[in-house]
Amino acid sequence: MNLLKDFKNPVLARKLSAAIAETVGDRPFSIMEVCGGQTHTIYKYRLREMLPPNLRLVSGPGCPVCVTPIEYIDKAVFLALEKGASIYTFGDLVRVPGTMMSLEKAQAEGADVQPVYSPFQSLQAAKANPERHVVFLGIGFETTLPGVGLVIREAQRSGVENFSVLLSAKRVPPVLDALLSSGKAEIDGFITPGHVTSIIGTKAYDALCETYRVPMVVGGFEPLDLLGAVHLLAGELAGGGTRNLNAYSRASSKEGNVKAQQVMEEVFEEKDDELRGLGVIPKAGYGIRESFAEFDADRRFDIVTNSREPKGCICGEILCGIKAPEDCPLFGAICTPDAPVGSCMVSNEGACNAAYLFRD
Ligand code: SF4
């Protein structure tokens, strides 16, 4: 099987599209795709146009850059400019506007900001430059956290003293719990994120399906992955089912990645945490455990910020599934990928970015 080609097969896509329409009938339903990577595929391959008009796809809160609070960007800028730290980060984050400036702007003002593909590159840089303090920007959901945990463990094992992590790590199940209990968005079923689920396992959603009587299906990131997930959800919705199903079994299992879970358990602890636009959610984030406190940039530095959300940006409502990017008056006029106002326009997992890139 050729994964790149076969999961985009247009003949199979049309068959699935017809099967979805037949299964769902004519009652209106809303399905949320939780992950920003899924949102990107949905826009890029125009999957909404392959669904019956009564089946609505709504983008959710699973873009890590989008849900990172603006205060986090301000902290990173403060560490770079006021504390002289070298900032190592995944590329997307560099362009997210902070209250006063982005990391990209801070770089233009002399800050040392380095994009990396792996947290281990930041530890190598710390070892190679003992005169500098290196801060890795550890953002993301459960997918990226095991790698950050491993690097913190390795920093402690190898006695590196000039390295820390500014952490803003989030947990998907409590965020979905908060969305469902708030009743803010009317969602009938969820496509849960494939990458996150490959770490935490499908069992992580069992309680949500039971408590809220809502079906969930793990979805991948190719067009047929998503249409397959929608097909399974259509069956549940049409028949009043509330099962927790898996349409991404080539990467996700019931138990998930147990070794990765052990690393997360060893290095991090759950905590109440803020997501941009969603506020503080119980147990929605991770903090660094006391036993690794010396690698926690928040504990290590006295960080001062005075953060304010950008005026007019409705990222928060988009992340909750209440509004669509096109509902934002700034969309495409004042806010574009070249001149983003909010985080949802920066990241290629952001709904505004996808809506802009693949607009008519
Ligand atoms: Fe925010 Fe820009 Fe999206 Fe509007 S278009 S919600 S300003 S990111």
Side-chain angles (χ1 to χ4, degrees):
M1 174 173 271
N2 180 333
L3 285 182
L4 285 178
K5 255 176 61 192
D6 292 353
F7 282 92
K8 295 182 176 74
N9 184 315
V11 177
L12 290 177
R14 278 194 290 275
K15 280 188 182 167
L16 269 170
S17 163
I20 290 166
E22 194 183 320
T23 306
V24 81
D26 49 18
R27 279 172 52 204
F29 293 111
S30 293
I31 290 173
M32 174 178 276
E33 85 276 0
V34 173
C35 179
Q38 295 167 334
T39 299
H40 191 90
T41 302
I42 287 165
Y43 273 100
K44 181 173 180 182
Y45 294 96
R46 297 183 175 268
L47 297 189
R48 288 196 173 100
E49 292 167 23
M50 300 193 76
L51 301 179
N54 54 315
L55 195 54
R56 196 169 67 104
L57 285 182
V58 179
S59 303
C63 157
V65 170
C66 306
V67 297
T68 300
I70 193 164
E71 189 192 9
Y72 181 88
I73 305 297
D74 295 340
K75 284 181 178 180
V77 168
F78 181 86
L79 287 172
L81 288 179
E82 304 299 328
K83 299 290 179 184
S86 295
I87 303 295
Y88 282 67
T89 174
F90 298 130
D92 277 2
L93 215 51
V94 168
R95 298 186 55 245
V96 177
T99 304
M100 299 304 289
M101 69 179 80
S102 65
L103 282 164
E104 194 174 48
K105 179 87 192 306
Q107 196 175 22
E109 295 199 359
D112 183 22
V113 180
Q114 308 282 346
V116 286
Y117 292 106
S118 154
F120 278 92
Q121 289 173 273
S122 57
L123 183 57
Q124 281 163 1
K127 286 178 179 174
N129 300 281
E131 76 288 356
R132 297 198 66 88
H133 187 90
V134 168
V135 176
F136 177 70
L137 302 187
I139 71 149
F141 284 93
E142 293 93 331
T143 323
T144 42
L145 204 56
V148 180
L150 281 174
V151 92
I152 290 176
R153 213 168 67 172
E154 174 56 21
Q156 190 178 65
R157 193 199 62 76
S158 51
V160 177
E161 291 180 354
N162 60 324
F163 175 76
S164 60
V165 172
L166 186 65
L167 191 70
S168 182
K170 313 300 180 200
R171 303 178 58 229
V172 166
V175 176
L176 298 186
D177 197 342
L179 266 186
L180 283 161
S181 64
S182 74
K184 276 184 183 169
E186 286 170 19
I187 308 296
D188 301 300
F190 289 83
I191 304 175
T192 46
H195 292 157
V196 164
T197 311
S198 67
I199 302 293
I200 63 177
T202 59
K203 63 180 182 188
Y205 312 113
D206 284 344
L208 291 171
C209 292
E210 233 168 77
T211 306
Y212 296 102
R213 312 299 301 156
V214 64
M216 298 194 175
V217 177
V218 186
F221 302 87
E222 296 294 341
L224 292 194
D225 286 324
L226 288 162
L227 290 172
V230 172
H231 186 219
L232 285 180
L233 274 173
E236 292 300 297
L237 294 172
T242 60
R243 288 186 293 171
N244 177 19
L245 301 172
N246 188 358
Y248 194 49
S249 57
R250 69 180 185 281
S252 297
S253 64
K254 187 157 184 67
E255 296 303 319
N257 185 329
V258 176
K259 278 194 178 163
Q261 291 166 19
Q262 284 165 351
V263 174
M264 286 157 64
E265 177 63 26
E266 182 188 340
V267 181
F268 306 108
E269 58 193 354
E270 293 169 8
K271 65 167 193 175
D272 300 349
D273 209 358
E274 184 188 352
L275 283 83
R276 189 187 281 233
L278 286 95
V280 176
I281 297 176
K283 305 268 185 206
Y286 287 101
I288 296 173
R289 284 192 187 277
E290 189 61 38
S291 47
F292 293 94
E294 71 266 36
F295 301 104
D296 185 349
D298 269 310
R299 284 181 174 110
R300 199 152 166 166
F301 294 97
D302 208 4
I303 306 177
V304 182
T305 58
N306 185 9
S307 303
R308 289 182 313 277
E309 288 293 339
K311 259 195 179 159
C313 174
I314 60 163
C315 266
E317 288 159 282
I318 293 170
L319 290 164
C320 293
I322 300 170
K323 293 205 168 154
E326 296 82 356
D327 296 330
C328 176
L330 308 187
F331 176 80
I334 292 170
C335 182
T336 65
D338 287 335
V341 174
S343 55
C344 303
M345 187 57 93
V346 177
S347 168
N348 61 12
E349 291 193 37
C352 298
N353 181 282
Y356 184 88
L357 288 183
F358 302 112
R359 68 199 186 286
D360 287 326

